[in-house]
Amino acid sequence: MMMTRRSFILSAIASSLLASSLTGCSQSNSVKTLTPVEIDTHTTCDLDGMLLADYAGPKAQIFYTGNDTPTFFCDTVELFHTLLAPEQVKAIAAVYVQDMGKADWEQPRNNWFDAKTGFYVLGSKRHGSMGPTIASFAQETDAKKFAAEWGGKLLRYAEIKADMVDLSGGALHDTRM
């Protein structure tokens, strides 16, 4: 059977479309690993422009779906306020917070972990950049030790509710503003 030029071209186009659709499927099914980005002296909070390195307490970052760079927060209260806001409609690929069981409270660096797996202490005497903060820990034993020393209530990620994250007090506690 002899193939006409038109049949050959249509066959080539169909093969090309099939190959590209199969490649597209395999690419869309692959999961891209998003790793936390370390802060530096120029990293700013996406909500208020504060320099993260200038403030004590746990920091946070969100990778929104489709973005390779995170949105930074100078405090976990800001993070949870954003996550729990009813108008939050952006799809989230990853959320990271700092493990305050390992990081220096006054100048936290590194020690990022998946926020959804963490343990949190709400209502302690320790303050972050926005005043009262939610201390984040990768290990429950570290969170319990912190709560015993500084006070507060131990919570899991899913137990933190919108009425627990109040941003109104931040400016009252910031002597640098």
Side-chain angles (χ1 to χ4, degrees), residues 16-42:
S16 175
L17 289 173
L18 179 61
S20 68
S21 70
L22 290 175
T23 303
C25 285
S26 67
Q27 287 174 348
S28 66
N29 288 336
S30 66
V31 176
K32 181 177 180 182
T33 303
L34 296 170
T35 56
V37 175
E38 185 50 47
I39 63 171
D40 61 29
T41 56
H42 304 292

Side-chain angles (χ1 to χ4, degrees), residues 59-78:
K59 312 297 181 247
Q61 53 188 284
I62 295 175
F63 282 91
Y64 291 105
T65 302
N67 290 348
D68 290 338
T69 56
T71 296
F72 285 101
F73 299 89
C74 57
D75 196 293
T76 51
V77 172
E78 288 181 336

Side-chain angles (χ1 to χ4, degrees), residues 32-37 58-63 70-73 76 79 83 92-99 111-117 120 136 157:
K32 181 177 180 182
T33 303
L34 296 170
T35 56
V37 175
K59 312 297 181 247
Q61 53 188 284
I62 295 175
F63 282 91
T71 296
F72 285 101
F73 299 89
T76 51
L79 167 75
L83 291 173
I92 295 172
V95 180
Y96 295 104
V97 292
Q98 289 177 306
D99 181 1
N111 301 297
W112 297 97
F113 71 96
D114 179 350
K116 294 176 184 174
T117 66
Y120 298 88
S136 50
Y157 179 87

Side-chain angles (χ1 to χ4, degrees), residues 99-158:
D99 181 1
M100 299 313 291
K102 295 180 181 174
D104 174 9
W105 188 274
E106 295 304 317
Q107 294 186 335
R109 299 291 186 276
N110 300 309
N111 301 297
W112 297 97
F113 71 96
D114 179 350
K116 294 176 184 174
T117 66
F119 299 87
Y120 298 88
V121 178
L122 174 71
S124 79
K125 295 175 190 135
R126 296 289 320 245
H127 283 191
S129 66
M130 301 306 292
T133 193
I134 302 171
S136 50
F137 299 90
Q139 303 297 318
E140 185 175 16
T141 54
D142 290 337
K144 285 180 176 179
K145 180 180 174 186
F146 179 87
E149 182 176 351
W150 298 99
K153 180 180 178 180
L154 181 69
L155 300 167
R156 295 298 308 249
Y157 179 87

